[in-house]
Amino acid sequence: MPRGLVLVLAVLALAAGCAGANRQVSPLTGMPASSNAPVLAVKVDNSPAGRPWTGVEDADVVYVEPVEGGTTRLLAVFSSRLPASVGPVRSARESDVTVLGAYGRPALAFSGSAPELAGTLANAPLVAVTPATAASAFRRDPDRRAPVNLYADPEALLAAAGEVSPPRDVGFRFGATPAGGEVVRHREVAFGSAIVGLTWDAVRGRWVVEPGGDPVVPAGGGDPVGAATVLVQKVTTRPSAIRDAAGAVSPYAVTTGEGEAEVLRDGRAFPARWSRPAPTDPTRVLDAGGAPVPFASGPLWVLLAPEDG
């Protein structure tokens, strides 16, 4: 073999090896992903006026959180893939800080927050990115009305955030479908007056997410937004110090401690319990025998559903 060709092949092999060294199985999805891609969380509207979402379909993990008035908002966590745009971006809540405690030092993009939350956000192990700190990363859609017309560029958000943590173990375990479980084709999860429906799509191997009873097709088109696994995590809620413009108290979802859970995957439901001693600890999801309940590889939705529905 000519010496020049040998040299070229050696360089290609070295490059492939370096690329492989930066790839691993993501602790957030169980899928191959870059080991050093930063973690970006974005607060997204989930009201009828705020749908369809933009970019949420590319999130590794999406948390559905209860907010004031019996409604919900999304906390979308990105690392494996970054969409060109994400939104509508809305304000942060106290629950976001605790949820993200296990992620190390992620970036959190949001549109604002109540004054009562300023100290909590300032002392939290995260990098806050808002229109006030990174105006060029955000834009208003002239075809939509405020407050559901604010969108962000994830690449610009991360550039503004600077150094943030890559993905780490937040407690999820991935593997083959466990034995047992209940065959389920549809579930409805209550958040006060809001209902999130979940319908199993066997062709795509996804739980189609149906807030308000209808699937959500991304703003750019394509398949309805769905998840390989849905974790229904029953949580205690307590009043926070935050109120909305109408005076409604914003609930705080308690994601430390322990409680009941249900894992939905592969068209089946598996009862479980979750536990998390402190905000910086991973959330463990275990069966009755104390073994981890494995998730299906792929995007994950976590529904922080109030215990009292």
Side-chain angles (χ1 to χ4, degrees), residues 236-270:
T236 300
T237 58
R238 61 164 174 77
S240 73
I242 299 170
R243 295 176 180 266
D244 67 9
V249 176
S250 179
Y252 170 71
V254 181
T255 53
T256 55
E258 60 180 350
E260 295 183 357
E262 183 176 55
V263 176
L264 302 176
R265 60 164 295 176
D266 303 312
R268 306 186 76 87
F270 300 88

mmCIF file of all heavy atoms in Angstrom, residues 236-270:
data_model
loop_
_atom_site.group_PDB
_atom_site.id
_atom_site.type_symbol
_atom_site.label_atom_id
_atom_site.label_comp_id
_atom_site.label_asym_id
_atom_site.label_seq_id
_atom_site.Cartn_x
_atom_site.Cartn_y
_atom_site.Cartn_z
ATOM 1 N N THR A 236 -46.421 15.845 45.981
ATOM 2 C CA THR A 236 -47.127 16.764 46.852
ATOM 3 C C THR A 236 -46.950 18.175 46.309
ATOM 4 O O THR A 236 -45.882 18.522 45.795
ATOM 5 C CB THR A 236 -46.547 16.700 48.282
ATOM 6 O OG1 THR A 236 -46.690 15.370 48.773
ATOM 7 C CG2 THR A 236 -47.262 17.666 49.215
ATOM 8 N N THR A 237 -47.976 18.989 46.381
ATOM 9 C CA THR A 237 -47.843 20.390 46.009
ATOM 10 C C THR A 237 -48.155 21.255 47.232
ATOM 11 O O THR A 237 -48.987 20.888 48.067
ATOM 12 C CB THR A 237 -48.777 20.776 44.861
ATOM 13 O OG1 THR A 237 -50.131 20.510 45.227
ATOM 14 C CG2 THR A 237 -48.432 19.994 43.600
ATOM 15 N N ARG A 238 -47.462 22.358 47.316
ATOM 16 C CA ARG A 238 -47.722 23.316 48.394
ATOM 17 C C ARG A 238 -47.732 24.709 47.794
ATOM 18 O O ARG A 238 -47.145 24.946 46.722
ATOM 19 C CB ARG A 238 -46.666 23.211 49.493
ATOM 20 C CG ARG A 238 -45.250 23.505 49.043
ATOM 21 C CD ARG A 238 -44.338 23.755 50.227
ATOM 22 N NE ARG A 238 -42.942 23.913 49.856
ATOM 23 C CZ ARG A 238 -42.407 25.003 49.329
ATOM 24 N NH1 ARG A 238 -43.183 26.058 49.051
ATOM 25 N NH2 ARG A 238 -41.111 25.070 49.047
ATOM 26 N N PRO A 239 -48.386 25.663 48.447
ATOM 27 C CA PRO A 239 -48.389 27.034 47.913
ATOM 28 C C PRO A 239 -46.989 27.627 47.941
ATOM 29 O O PRO A 239 -46.225 27.411 48.880
ATOM 30 C CB PRO A 239 -49.332 27.788 48.858
ATOM 31 C CG PRO A 239 -50.142 26.732 49.534
ATOM 32 C CD PRO A 239 -49.243 25.534 49.640
ATOM 33 N N SER A 240 -46.640 28.348 46.919
ATOM 34 C CA SER A 240 -45.388 29.098 46.911
ATOM 35 C C SER A 240 -45.694 30.556 47.222
ATOM 36 O O SER A 240 -46.851 30.941 47.428
ATOM 37 C CB SER A 240 -44.699 28.980 45.550
ATOM 38 O OG SER A 240 -45.390 29.747 44.580
ATOM 39 N N ALA A 241 -44.662 31.384 47.234
ATOM 40 C CA ALA A 241 -44.847 32.811 47.511
ATOM 41 C C ALA A 241 -45.272 33.588 46.271
ATOM 42 O O ALA A 241 -45.490 34.796 46.335
ATOM 43 C CB ALA A 241 -43.547 33.395 48.070
ATOM 44 N N ILE A 242 -45.409 32.884 45.144
ATOM 45 C CA ILE A 242 -45.666 33.555 43.877
ATOM 46 C C ILE A 242 -47.153 33.535 43.547
ATOM 47 O O ILE A 242 -47.830 32.521 43.708
ATOM 48 C CB ILE A 242 -44.863 32.871 42.753
ATOM 49 C CG1 ILE A 242 -43.368 32.973 43.052
ATOM 50 C CG2 ILE A 242 -45.183 33.476 41.400
ATOM 51 C CD1 ILE A 242 -42.514 32.133 42.147
ATOM 52 N N ARG A 243 -47.653 34.669 43.071
ATOM 53 C CA ARG A 243 -49.028 34.782 42.592
ATOM 54 C C ARG A 243 -49.009 35.356 41.177
ATOM 55 O O ARG A 243 -48.120 36.143 40.832
ATOM 56 C CB ARG A 243 -49.862 35.696 43.504
ATOM 57 C CG ARG A 243 -50.052 35.156 44.912
ATOM 58 C CD ARG A 243 -50.800 36.146 45.786
ATOM 59 N NE ARG A 243 -50.980 35.640 47.149
ATOM 60 C CZ ARG A 243 -52.054 34.987 47.552
ATOM 61 N NH1 ARG A 243 -53.053 34.782 46.707
ATOM 62 N NH2 ARG A 243 -52.146 34.543 48.795
ATOM 63 N N ASP A 244 -50.005 34.957 40.381
ATOM 64 C CA ASP A 244 -50.078 35.525 39.043
ATOM 65 C C ASP A 244 -50.820 36.856 39.089
ATOM 66 O O ASP A 244 -51.191 37.352 40.160
ATOM 67 C CB ASP A 244 -50.730 34.539 38.065
ATOM 68 C CG ASP A 244 -52.206 34.284 38.368
ATOM 69 O OD1 ASP A 244 -52.786 34.975 39.218
ATOM 70 O OD2 ASP A 244 -52.775 33.388 37.725
ATOM 71 N N ALA A 245 -51.025 37.463 37.907
ATOM 72 C CA ALA A 245 -51.639 38.790 37.851
ATOM 73 C C ALA A 245 -53.048 38.799 38.421
ATOM 74 O O ALA A 245 -53.532 39.828 38.901
ATOM 75 C CB ALA A 245 -51.650 39.284 36.407
ATOM 76 N N ALA A 246 -53.716 37.643 38.369
ATOM 77 C CA ALA A 246 -55.076 37.552 38.896
ATOM 78 C C ALA A 246 -55.107 37.229 40.384
ATOM 79 O O ALA A 246 -56.180 37.114 40.976
ATOM 80 C CB ALA A 246 -55.858 36.499 38.118
ATOM 81 N N GLY A 247 -53.933 37.031 40.995
ATOM 82 C CA GLY A 247 -53.867 36.731 42.411
ATOM 83 C C GLY A 247 -53.851 35.259 42.748
ATOM 84 O O GLY A 247 -53.811 34.888 43.921
ATOM 85 N N ALA A 248 -53.863 34.383 41.720
ATOM 86 C CA ALA A 248 -53.842 32.941 41.967
ATOM 87 C C ALA A 248 -52.454 32.516 42.439
ATOM 88 O O ALA A 248 -51.429 32.951 41.893
ATOM 89 C CB ALA A 248 -54.218 32.165 40.710
ATOM 90 N N VAL A 249 -52.412 31.668 43.460
ATOM 91 C CA VAL A 249 -51.144 31.206 44.022
ATOM 92 C C VAL A 249 -50.525 30.148 43.126
ATOM 93 O O VAL A 249 -51.194 29.219 42.666
ATOM 94 C CB VAL A 249 -51.358 30.643 45.436
ATOM 95 C CG1 VAL A 249 -50.050 30.080 45.993
ATOM 96 C CG2 VAL A 249 -51.896 31.722 46.360
ATOM 97 N N SER A 250 -49.226 30.270 42.871
ATOM 98 C CA SER A 250 -48.511 29.278 42.080
ATOM 99 C C SER A 250 -48.095 28.109 42.973
ATOM 100 O O SER A 250 -47.476 28.317 44.014
ATOM 101 C CB SER A 250 -47.269 29.897 41.453
ATOM 102 O OG SER A 250 -46.549 28.945 40.694
ATOM 103 N N PRO A 251 -48.441 26.877 42.608
ATOM 104 C CA PRO A 251 -48.047 25.737 43.438
ATOM 105 C C PRO A 251 -46.586 25.377 43.235
ATOM 106 O O PRO A 251 -46.008 25.613 42.172
ATOM 107 C CB PRO A 251 -48.956 24.614 42.926
ATOM 108 C CG PRO A 251 -49.213 24.966 41.500
ATOM 109 C CD PRO A 251 -49.247 26.470 41.447
ATOM 110 N N TYR A 252 -45.998 24.812 44.275
ATOM 111 C CA TYR A 252 -44.639 24.283 44.210
ATOM 112 C C TYR A 252 -44.736 22.765 44.230
ATOM 113 O O TYR A 252 -45.311 22.175 45.145
ATOM 114 C CB TYR A 252 -43.820 24.782 45.395
ATOM 115 C CG TYR A 252 -42.477 24.095 45.554
ATOM 116 C CD1 TYR A 252 -41.447 24.328 44.659
ATOM 117 C CD2 TYR A 252 -42.253 23.203 46.603
ATOM 118 C CE1 TYR A 252 -40.223 23.701 44.806
ATOM 119 C CE2 TYR A 252 -41.023 22.577 46.756
ATOM 120 C CZ TYR A 252 -40.016 22.831 45.857
ATOM 121 O OH TYR A 252 -38.804 22.207 45.991
ATOM 122 N N ALA A 253 -44.211 22.119 43.194
ATOM 123 C CA ALA A 253 -44.219 20.658 43.104
ATOM 124 C C ALA A 253 -43.019 20.115 43.859
ATOM 125 O O ALA A 253 -41.870 20.406 43.512
ATOM 126 C CB ALA A 253 -44.169 20.208 41.648
ATOM 127 N N VAL A 254 -43.272 19.331 44.892
ATOM 128 C CA VAL A 254 -42.206 18.809 45.753
ATOM 129 C C VAL A 254 -41.630 17.545 45.098
ATOM 130 O O VAL A 254 -42.256 16.488 45.094
ATOM 131 C CB VAL A 254 -42.735 18.490 47.161
ATOM 132 C CG1 VAL A 254 -41.598 17.971 48.044
ATOM 133 C CG2 VAL A 254 -43.371 19.724 47.786
ATOM 134 N N THR A 255 -40.423 17.662 44.557
ATOM 135 C CA THR A 255 -39.804 16.543 43.844
ATOM 136 C C THR A 255 -38.683 15.901 44.644
ATOM 137 O O THR A 255 -37.859 15.160 44.091
ATOM 138 C CB THR A 255 -39.290 16.991 42.467
ATOM 139 O OG1 THR A 255 -38.440 18.134 42.631
ATOM 140 C CG2 THR A 255 -40.456 17.352 41.552
ATOM 141 N N THR A 256 -38.621 16.185 45.928
ATOM 142 C CA THR A 256 -37.748 15.447 46.837
ATOM 143 C C THR A 256 -38.620 14.643 47.795
ATOM 144 O O THR A 256 -39.795 14.945 47.989
ATOM 145 C CB THR A 256 -36.836 16.394 47.633
ATOM 146 O OG1 THR A 256 -37.640 17.373 48.305
ATOM 147 C CG2 THR A 256 -35.853 17.097 46.717
ATOM 148 N N GLY A 257 -38.020 13.608 48.396
ATOM 149 C CA GLY A 257 -38.801 12.701 49.233
ATOM 150 C C GLY A 257 -39.094 11.434 48.465
ATOM 151 O O GLY A 257 -38.227 10.882 47.789
ATOM 152 N N GLU A 258 -40.336 10.996 48.522
ATOM 153 C CA GLU A 258 -40.721 9.790 47.790
ATOM 154 C C GLU A 258 -42.213 9.806 47.534
ATOM 155 O O GLU A 258 -42.966 10.584 48.135
ATOM 156 C CB GLU A 258 -40.327 8.537 48.566
ATOM 157 C CG GLU A 258 -40.963 8.406 49.927
ATOM 158 C CD GLU A 258 -40.526 7.140 50.642
ATOM 159 O OE1 GLU A 258 -39.882 6.294 50.013
ATOM 160 O OE2 GLU A 258 -40.841 7.004 51.829
ATOM 161 N N GLY A 259 -42.648 8.931 46.632
ATOM 162 C CA GLY A 259 -44.065 8.860 46.311
ATOM 163 C C GLY A 259 -44.348 7.804 45.278
ATOM 164 O O GLY A 259 -43.453 7.092 44.813
ATOM 165 N N GLU A 260 -45.610 7.699 44.902
ATOM 166 C CA GLU A 260 -46.025 6.719 43.906
ATOM 167 C C GLU A 260 -45.705 7.209 42.499
ATOM 168 O O GLU A 260 -45.603 8.416 42.250
ATOM 169 C CB GLU A 260 -47.522 6.453 44.039
ATOM 170 C CG GLU A 260 -47.928 5.799 45.345
ATOM 171 C CD GLU A 260 -49.421 5.495 45.402
ATOM 172 O OE1 GLU A 260 -50.134 5.861 44.445
ATOM 173 O OE2 GLU A 260 -49.853 4.897 46.400
ATOM 174 N N ALA A 261 -45.550 6.248 41.609
ATOM 175 C CA ALA A 261 -45.257 6.579 40.219
ATOM 176 C C ALA A 261 -45.806 5.486 39.311
ATOM 177 O O ALA A 261 -46.194 4.401 39.770
ATOM 178 C CB ALA A 261 -43.751 6.732 40.001
ATOM 179 N N GLU A 262 -45.825 5.800 38.039
ATOM 180 C CA GLU A 262 -46.203 4.817 37.016
ATOM 181 C C GLU A 262 -45.325 5.061 35.804
ATOM 182 O O GLU A 262 -45.126 6.210 35.391
ATOM 183 C CB GLU A 262 -47.681 4.970 36.646
ATOM 184 C CG GLU A 262 -48.167 3.933 35.643
ATOM 185 C CD GLU A 262 -49.653 4.048 35.357
ATOM 186 O OE1 GLU A 262 -50.098 5.151 34.976
ATOM 187 O OE2 GLU A 262 -50.378 3.047 35.519
ATOM 188 N N VAL A 263 -44.777 3.976 35.273
ATOM 189 C CA VAL A 263 -43.946 4.055 34.080
ATOM 190 C C VAL A 263 -44.739 3.513 32.901
ATOM 191 O O VAL A 263 -45.195 2.357 32.920
ATOM 192 C CB VAL A 263 -42.636 3.263 34.251
ATOM 193 C CG1 VAL A 263 -41.828 3.265 32.954
ATOM 194 C CG2 VAL A 263 -41.810 3.833 35.397
ATOM 195 N N LEU A 264 -44.904 4.336 31.874
ATOM 196 C CA LEU A 264 -45.589 3.937 30.654
ATOM 197 C C LEU A 264 -44.560 3.748 29.551
ATOM 198 O O LEU A 264 -43.817 4.680 29.219
ATOM 199 C CB LEU A 264 -46.602 5.002 30.234
ATOM 200 C CG LEU A 264 -47.692 5.363 31.248
ATOM 201 C CD1 LEU A 264 -48.554 6.502 30.710
ATOM 202 C CD2 LEU A 264 -48.566 4.158 31.570
ATOM 203 N N ARG A 265 -44.505 2.539 29.010
ATOM 204 C CA ARG A 265 -43.604 2.253 27.907
ATOM 205 C C ARG A 265 -44.124 1.043 27.134
ATOM 206 O O ARG A 265 -44.771 0.160 27.699
ATOM 207 C CB ARG A 265 -42.175 1.983 28.405
ATOM 208 C CG ARG A 265 -42.049 0.800 29.371
ATOM 209 C CD ARG A 265 -40.616 0.343 29.533
ATOM 210 N NE ARG A 265 -40.066 -0.193 28.282
ATOM 211 C CZ ARG A 265 -38.807 -0.585 28.127
ATOM 212 N NH1 ARG A 265 -37.953 -0.493 29.135
ATOM 213 N NH2 ARG A 265 -38.384 -1.084 26.970
ATOM 214 N N ASP A 266 -43.876 1.013 25.840
ATOM 215 C CA ASP A 266 -44.211 -0.143 25.006
ATOM 216 C C ASP A 266 -45.669 -0.560 25.138
ATOM 217 O O ASP A 266 -45.996 -1.752 25.062
ATOM 218 C CB ASP A 266 -43.296 -1.321 25.348
ATOM 219 C CG ASP A 266 -41.835 -0.977 25.179
ATOM 220 O OD1 ASP A 266 -41.482 -0.424 24.128
ATOM 221 O OD2 ASP A 266 -41.042 -1.228 26.107
ATOM 222 N N GLY A 267 -46.558 0.402 25.327
ATOM 223 C CA GLY A 267 -47.979 0.086 25.416
ATOM 224 C C GLY A 267 -48.387 -0.584 26.709
ATOM 225 O O GLY A 267 -49.467 -1.183 26.788
ATOM 226 N N ARG A 268 -47.546 -0.481 27.738
ATOM 227 C CA ARG A 268 -47.847 -1.101 29.023
ATOM 228 C C ARG A 268 -47.575 -0.104 30.147
ATOM 229 O O ARG A 268 -46.807 0.849 29.986
ATOM 230 C CB ARG A 268 -47.023 -2.377 29.238
ATOM 231 C CG ARG A 268 -47.134 -3.393 28.119
ATOM 232 C CD ARG A 268 -46.414 -4.684 28.448
ATOM 233 N NE ARG A 268 -47.168 -5.497 29.391
ATOM 234 C CZ ARG A 268 -48.103 -6.372 29.043
ATOM 235 N NH1 ARG A 268 -48.408 -6.549 27.770
ATOM 236 N NH2 ARG A 268 -48.731 -7.094 29.960
ATOM 237 N N ALA A 269 -48.199 -0.350 31.283
ATOM 238 C CA ALA A 269 -48.018 0.490 32.468
ATOM 239 C C ALA A 269 -47.431 -0.344 33.588
ATOM 240 O O ALA A 269 -47.898 -1.464 33.858
ATOM 241 C CB ALA A 269 -49.356 1.090 32.902
ATOM 242 N N PHE A 270 -46.429 0.214 34.264
ATOM 243 C CA PHE A 270 -45.739 -0.493 35.338
ATOM 244 C C PHE A 270 -45.791 0.354 36.607
ATOM 245 O O PHE A 270 -45.296 1.491 36.613
ATOM 246 C CB PHE A 270 -44.290 -0.774 34.943
ATOM 247 C CG PHE A 270 -44.148 -1.616 33.714
ATOM 248 C CD1 PHE A 270 -44.104 -1.028 32.453
ATOM 249 C CD2 PHE A 270 -44.089 -3.000 33.808
ATOM 250 C CE1 PHE A 270 -43.993 -1.803 31.313
ATOM 251 C CE2 PHE A 270 -43.975 -3.786 32.669
ATOM 252 C CZ PHE A 270 -43.930 -3.191 31.421
#
